Structure formats: C-alpha cells, structure tokens
C-alpha cells in the first residue's frame, strides 16, 4: 500500500517559499535576494530617468511623455504578466505576439465592429483564450515541447492574421473604443490603459503569491515529478497556465486596438522576446520554479524607458536592440551566479 509522502517531500517543489540554510546554520531567505534584485531594478530605472532628464529634459520629463511611456508599457506589461506564470512553471510561450496580432485583427473586422464595444472586447479575449487553449492542449495532453507547440502557433496565428486583413489596416470606427485613448478619458491624469495594467499586475501578484494556483505553478516549475507525487495534476495546471497567457494576450490586443485605433497583422511584433526578456531581468527563473510579478513589471518599465530615451535622442533602433541584448545577458549571468551561490551555501 502506497504511503503518503512525508511533509519534507511535499515542500520540495516550492523552494521559493523557503529559506536557504547555509553551512553555518543561519538562514538566507530567497525573498531577500528577490528584494535586492527589485531594488537594483529600481536603481536602474532611476538612472535611466536621470539620463532621459539630462539628455532631453523638456521632452522626456514632460507629463505627456511620461504618460506615453506608461501607456506603451501597459500593453506589453499585460502580456508579460501571463508570460511570467508560464516561465515560472518551466514552460515558454513564443506565440504571444502572434496571438495579440490575430486577436486584434479578428476583433476589428467590419462584422465584429457591428456589435460595438462589447463585441470587440469579447472577440479579442475569446480569440486569445482560444489560442491559449490550443497551446495548452498540445503541451499538456499532446506532450509536445512548449517551444515547438508555441512556435507552430506563432506561425499559424501570424498567417491567419495576414489572411484576415489581406495585408491591410483595419480602422476602428466604434467611438466608445476610441474614446478610451483620448486625454479626456484620463482619470486623475492616468490613462485608462495604465489602470488596466495596474489591475492585471495586482491580480497576477495575488494569484502567484497568495493562492494555491500560484503555489502549484511554482511547484510544477521547480520539480514536475515531485509536484505530481504531491497530488498536483501537472497536465491540468499547465493547461490553465497557457489559458491564462492567452487571456492576457486577448486583453493586450484590446488595449492595442484602443491605443492604435486599428487592427493590423503586424501588431505584437517581437512581443514574445520583450516579454521573456522583461520576466528574466525581473528575476523569473528561465528553467522554472521561481517567478516575480513585481520584477517583471520593473523589467517592462526598464525596456520601455530605454526605447523612449533612444527615440527622443534619434538613436538607431539597432543600437537599442544591442543595449537590450546586453541587459538580457547580464541578467542571465546574475541569475546563474545567484543560483550557484545558493547551491554552495
């Protein structure tokens, strides 16, 4: 007769919730390292703000520009929240940008716009969740490697988006949608899209850190077999996570429709790389088992601020990509050093 696993084994899949003992018997909480990382990102963000204020003080520090930075960060930020959950579980989603594109063009067809605001929002969310469902089924129950499954979705969604639009831009004519992007819709000077991003961030943080779903996500990413032995339905959990990623893509697609006033098959270009990069430099472990919503949001703000500074100073996009690549490499090296130090402690 099989005996239940002892408590020590049940806790093993969730190292993020535990402190790390060192050889001397003291305890080094992982949360402390995460706080240090977040403080470091805040420092980087402060330096970037100082650089922007020094190079282009009138333009960068203008209220309208700061609102623009936050608005642009909001769209990719919502996608990054979903990506953080997926990476924390040990997975990856390369299709988020293509899903955003497909959801945005499907929600802005003439037939969809006849149903007004609700029709556009509903279609964007349903398309996003539907794509996430396909990814989840292929990965969780079809046992496909996440990289391959989501790469196939990337190609398929992009192709379908191109077929729907025939390469043309679909203009939004629903006033109630367009009105969300105008300055009169700002609440206390805050764009509505930023408020949506803030709400998604808070909900994501609560789910990851304060619910059983979040603990199961960390457990699956830390050790899927141990999580299974502890009674977690690993396949169902992975399905839910890709559904969550698809939901975030659908929300981001609607936000992009509001921001651009149109739907295009080129929407969401390279969102997958930006979301993964933001999550990694924020402290989410690429191999799974550890994730931080706050760090991911700070990563998004860092990248968006860099893009804005480069644009204001008329610097080439190639230099911008090099800078982003250098930041990603540095973040991964720091992760490896942190993990090696924890293993030696």
């Amino acid at each position: 007769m099989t005996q239940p696993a002892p408590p020590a084994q049940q806790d093993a899949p969730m190292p993020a919730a535990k402190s790390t003992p060192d050889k001397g018997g003291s305890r080094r909480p992982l949360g402390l390292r995460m706080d240090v990382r977040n403080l470091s990102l805040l420092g980087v963000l402060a330096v970037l703000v100082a650089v922007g204020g020094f190079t282009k003080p009138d333009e960068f520090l203008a209220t309208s520009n700061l609102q623009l930075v936050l608005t642009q960060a909001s769209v990719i930020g919502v996608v990054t929240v979903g990506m953080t959950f997926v990476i924390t579980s040990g997975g990856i989603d390369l299709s988020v940008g293509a899903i955003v594109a497909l959801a945005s063009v499907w929600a802005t067809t003439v037939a969809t716009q006849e149903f007004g605001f609700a029709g556009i929002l509903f279609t964007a969310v349903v398309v996003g969740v539907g794509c996430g469902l396909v990814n989840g089924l292929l990965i969780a129950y079809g046992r496909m490697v996440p990289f391959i499954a989501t790469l196939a979705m990337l190609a398929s969604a992009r192709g379908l988006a191109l077929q729907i639009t025939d390469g043309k831009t679909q203009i939004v004519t629903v006033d109630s949608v367009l009105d969300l992007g105008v300055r009169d819709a700002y609440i206390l000077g805050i764009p509505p899209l930023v408020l949506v991003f803030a709400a998604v961030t808070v909900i994501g943080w609560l789910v990851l850190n304060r619910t059983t779903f979040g603990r199961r996500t960390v457990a699956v990413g830390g050790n899927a077999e141990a999580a299974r032995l502890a009674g977690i339905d690993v396949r169902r959990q992975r399905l839910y996570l890709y559904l969550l990623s698809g939901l975030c893509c659908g929300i981001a697609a609607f936000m992009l429709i509001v921001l651009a006033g149109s739907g295009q098959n080129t929407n969401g270009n390279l969102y997958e790389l930006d979301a993964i990069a933001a999550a990694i430099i924020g402290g989410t472990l690429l191999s799974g088992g550890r994730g931080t919503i706050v760090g991911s949001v700070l990563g998004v703000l860092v990248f968006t601020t860099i893009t804005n500074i480069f644009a204001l100073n008329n610097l080439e996009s190639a230099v911008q990509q090099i800078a982003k690549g250098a930041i990603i490499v540095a973040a991964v090296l720091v992760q490896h050093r942190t993990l090696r130090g924890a293993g030696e402690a």
Side-chain angles (χ1 to χ4, degrees), residues 65-81:
N65 184 64
L66 296 179
Q67 291 171 335
L68 176 63
V69 170
L70 290 176
T71 302
Q72 292 175 336
S74 297
V75 180
I76 184 62
V78 171
V79 175
T80 302
V81 170

Side-chain angles (χ1 to χ4, degrees), residues 17-233:
K18 299 294 180 182
S19 298
T20 304
D22 61 21
K23 295 179 181 180
S26 62
R27 304 183 72 82
R28 298 168 57 189
L30 180 60
L32 179 59
R33 293 200 296 272
M34 299 302 294
D35 290 340
V36 171
R37 181 184 291 274
N38 291 340
L39 289 175
S40 299
L41 284 174
L42 282 173
V44 171
L45 190 59
V47 171
L48 289 174
V49 171
V51 170
F54 178 76
T55 56
K56 292 288 183 178
D58 295 334
E59 294 93 337
F60 181 79
L61 297 177
T63 301
S64 58
N65 184 64
L66 296 179
Q67 291 171 335
L68 176 63
V69 170
L70 290 176
T71 302
Q72 292 175 336
S74 297
V75 180
I76 184 62
V78 171
V79 175
T80 302
V81 170
M83 182 69 78
T84 300
F85 276 89
V86 171
I87 296 178
T88 300
S89 72
I92 199 73
D93 191 347
L94 301 179
S95 63
V96 290
I99 294 175
V100 169
L102 178 59
S104 69
V105 299
W106 206 322
T108 54
T109 60
V110 175
T112 303
Q113 292 193 52
E114 291 180 355
F115 293 93
F117 182 100
I120 294 176
L121 175 59
F122 177 79
T123 302
V125 170
V126 168
V127 171
V129 172
C131 292
L133 176 62
V134 173
N135 281 337
L137 290 174
L138 291 175
I139 294 167
Y141 295 96
R143 299 186 181 279
M144 289 186 66
V145 177
F147 181 90
I148 300 300
T150 57
L151 185 62
M153 176 59 73
L154 182 156
S156 301
R158 282 288 180 194
L160 184 55
L162 179 60
Q163 186 176 34
I164 291 175
T165 61
D166 195 24
K168 301 176 182 177
T169 300
Q170 298 178 162
I171 305 299
V172 176
T173 59
V174 180
D175 292 336
S176 56
V177 173
L178 298 175
D179 289 344
L180 290 177
V182 302
R183 189 168 298 276
D184 291 340
Y186 290 7
I187 301 174
L188 299 178
I190 304 176
L193 299 187
V194 177
L195 296 177
V196 172
F197 176 36
V200 171
T201 299
V202 171
I203 294 173
W205 185 89
L206 290 174
V207 171
L208 184 60
N209 295 281
R210 293 292 185 267
T211 68
T212 302
F213 182 87
R215 290 191 291 272
R216 288 175 177 172
T217 300
V218 175
V220 170
N223 190 323
E225 180 60 19
R228 186 186 67 81
L229 293 175
I232 297 175
D233 190 332

Side-chain angles (χ1 to χ4, degrees), residues 220-242:
V220 170
N223 190 323
E225 180 60 19
R228 186 186 67 81
L229 293 175
I232 297 175
D233 190 332
V234 175
R235 291 188 298 178
R236 184 171 61 186
Q237 184 70 17
R238 285 174 174 161
L239 173 62
Y240 289 161
L241 288 166
Y242 282 95

